[in-house]
Amino acid sequence: MDFSDWSLLLDTKNEVLSILDEVLSLGGAAAKFELDTPLLGALPDLDSMAVVGLINMMEERFGFVVEDDEIDGSTFATVGSLVDFVNGKLA
């Protein structure tokens, strides 16, 4: 992974954390999350309605469309899995 890849990863991670913080009303707590921070099942506010909100906000901010068959629970397992998903959509 070269420097530009790391830069993209950090930019995507920061934007994903911003979206998580906004949608889940975490009051800035998401800024401390790392790539291995568990999400689904670990954050009480991350329920099915919040997942829909996250998807909508990601579509809006990143400019892509998420099809129903592209996501499952593993997409929201950790911050890293969510960042990987976003990067995959942006590639």
Side-chain angles (χ1 to χ4, degrees):
M1 195 178 268
D2 67 26
F3 179 74
S4 62
D5 293 336
W6 280 109
S7 178
L8 176 63
L9 178 66
L10 289 176
D11 289 347
T12 305
K13 177 188 171 201
N14 289 337
E15 191 63 30
V16 166
L17 292 179
S18 172
I19 292 168
L20 282 166
D21 206 76
E22 186 174 335
V23 171
L24 301 178
S25 302
L26 297 176
K32 297 177 184 167
F33 292 177
E34 298 298 331
L35 291 174
D36 61 351
T37 300
L39 297 176
L40 202 57
L43 297 176
D45 296 335
L46 187 54
D47 58 16
S48 59
M49 290 304 295
V51 166
V52 170
L54 286 171
I55 292 168
N56 289 336
M57 183 77 71
M58 289 188 305
E59 289 177 325
E60 183 180 308
R61 293 247 183 111
F62 291 108
F64 55 64
V65 175
V66 178
E67 302 296 334
D68 291 341
D69 62 351
E70 291 181 298
I71 55 168
D72 58 30
S74 66
T75 306
F76 296 90
T78 65
V79 170
S81 63
L82 193 53
V83 169
D84 287 345
F85 174 77
V86 170
N87 281 332
K89 290 295 288 179
L90 294 174

